[in-house]
Amino acid sequence: MFGDNFSKQLQSIPLSNDTVARRIGDIAKDIECQLFSKLRDKLFSIQLDEADSNKDAHLIIYVRFCDNMSVVEELLFCTRIKLKTTALALFAILNDFMNEANIEWKNCVGICIDGALSMSGRFQGIQAFVKQKSPQCVWTYCKIHREVLASKEMSPGLNTVLTTVVTVVNYIKMRPLKSRIFSALGKNMVSVHSALLFYCEARWLSHGKFLQRVYELKEEISIFLEEENRSAENFRDGLFVMKLSYLIDIFEKLNNLNLQPEGANTLMLDTNYKVNAFCKK
């Protein structure tokens, strides 16, 4: 779920003592049993997310319910997707888990998912299969995903700047030799940074950091492109740099907005208020 580096760090923890390993397992099992027992007699809502890495895909399920007059959010389970990621396959994983944990579907009153067809399809999506088990379940489209889709609509001029920057960064980063040369150039110029950042469309928070790094290294990028006999006029053009600065400011505000709906005890009304307040600015 957190990548190979994190997995290697966990594997480096010595667990040769069988007693320690057994106690860790017992604690984890006890926490799981407590969560399941609370869900068996309470109304709850779930949030689904499919996370892809370079090697594996995982289905992550979060649950929210009321416990002693307070809203509780917990990670219900995270499991590896072995085969297909179709709606039927993902729902089968979820349904098998609910049956094994002895949690009744009738208590599920809400489901929050992104806009992917396998998730939100009205007839063949996960929400359709969940509603077959729990007809009163209400589907909610993830606010963050909706805001990200809306933010993709930008003017052609700004979109050209973003596309140009992505092309240049990919040209440098996707070739190990050129990436090393650029890093050496940055060190020789005593730059604040010695490497660029990749842009990933699936990770919307990467927009601001990616563009900010390019802006801070625009002089180094210009020199590198000229040494590579490629056009560097964009990074020396005042209008292009001005539009790049504007994109950095916009995506910084969007990133802050994306972070606000996250975290514990975040309600839909609060999220709607923050999004509406942002749109009015």
Side-chain angles (χ1 to χ4, degrees):
M1 178 177 176
F2 292 100
D4 294 337
N5 294 333
F6 189 81
S7 177
K8 292 178 181 178
Q9 293 179 13
L10 289 179
Q11 292 176 359
S12 65
I13 300 176
L15 293 177
S16 56
N17 190 329
D18 294 338
T19 302
V20 175
R22 187 177 66 254
R23 287 178 177 175
I24 293 175
D26 292 341
I27 293 173
K29 190 65 177 178
D30 180 66
I31 295 175
E32 184 182 72
C33 292
Q34 290 184 45
L35 177 60
F36 293 168
S37 63
K38 291 180 180 179
L39 293 177
R40 292 189 182 107
D41 58 354
K42 289 182 174 65
L43 300 178
F44 62 88
S45 62
I46 56 176
Q47 178 179 350
L48 288 77
D49 190 19
E50 178 192 345
D52 295 319
S53 63
N54 293 332
K55 297 181 180 180
D56 301 317
H58 292 82
L59 179 62
I60 309 173
I61 310 293
Y62 298 91
V63 64
R64 173 182 281 192
F65 58 95
C66 292
D67 185 30
N68 295 327
M69 301 301 294
S70 62
V71 179
V72 180
E73 296 178 354
E74 295 287 351
L75 173 65
L76 186 58
F77 77 96
C78 173
T79 185
R80 180 182 176 186
I81 303 174
K82 298 180 180 179
L83 297 175
K84 298 180 180 181
T85 57
T86 60
L88 185 60
L90 296 178
F91 178 75
I93 296 174
L94 175 60
N95 189 49
D96 291 342
F97 174 85
M98 299 287 279
N99 292 333
E100 292 176 2
N102 196 23
I103 301 174
E104 297 186 12
W105 273 113
K106 66 179 183 179
N107 292 331
C108 181
V109 295
I111 176 172
C112 180
I113 49 184
D114 58 32
L117 185 59
S118 61
M119 292 284 188
S120 60
R122 183 177 179 182
F123 300 104
Q124 295 295 327
I126 286 184
Q127 68 137 333
F129 294 119
V130 172
K131 286 186 177 180
Q132 291 177 4
K133 296 286 187 178
S134 179
Q136 78 275 15
C137 183
V138 178
W139 168 56
T140 305
Y141 193 172
C142 177
K143 291 289 183 180
I144 298 179
H145 284 84
R146 294 173 65 182
E147 184 268 318
V148 172
L149 289 175
S151 65
K152 289 183 178 180
E153 295 292 334
M154 64 176 67
S155 65
L158 294 177
N159 187 60
T160 300
V161 173
L162 178 61
T163 303
T164 302
V165 172
V166 171
T167 302
V168 171
V169 172
N170 288 344
Y171 173 77
I172 299 174
K173 291 285 291 181
M174 295 183 69
R175 295 166 176 82
L177 176 59
K178 298 187 184 302
S179 183
R180 292 195 298 269
I181 294 174
F182 183 82
S183 179
L185 175 64
K187 292 179 180 178
N188 292 336
M189 296 180 64
V190 196
S191 304
V192 180
H193 310 287
S194 61
L196 296 168
L197 299 176
F198 265 129
Y199 160 72
C200 179
E201 186 173 359
R203 301 178 183 274
W204 46 83
L205 293 182
S206 68
H207 282 82
K209 296 179 181 179
F210 157 78
L211 292 172
Q212 181 67 36
R213 181 67 61 90
V214 170
Y215 183 83
E216 294 173 353
L217 296 175
K218 61 180 182 299
E219 184 64 27
E220 290 81 352
I221 293 175
S222 301
I223 297 174
F224 177 84
L225 293 176
E226 291 172 350
E227 292 179 351
E228 291 285 320
N229 296 321
R230 295 177 67 92
S231 175
E233 60 180 359
N234 285 327
F235 291 92
R236 299 194 183 279
D237 179 55
L239 181 60
F240 182 90
V241 175
M242 182 182 67
K243 291 181 178 179
L244 177 60
S245 303
Y246 178 77
L247 281 175
I248 293 172
D249 294 337
I250 290 298
F251 281 116
E252 180 182 1
K253 295 182 181 299
L254 288 173
N255 287 347
N256 292 333
L257 176 63
N258 288 331
L259 292 174
Q260 290 179 16
E262 299 179 0
N265 300 322
T266 301
L267 302 178
M268 184 181 298
L269 294 177
D270 296 333
T271 303
N272 287 336
Y273 173 78
K274 293 174 182 176
V275 173
N276 293 334
F278 177 83
C279 294
K280 292 179 180 179
K281 293 181 179 180

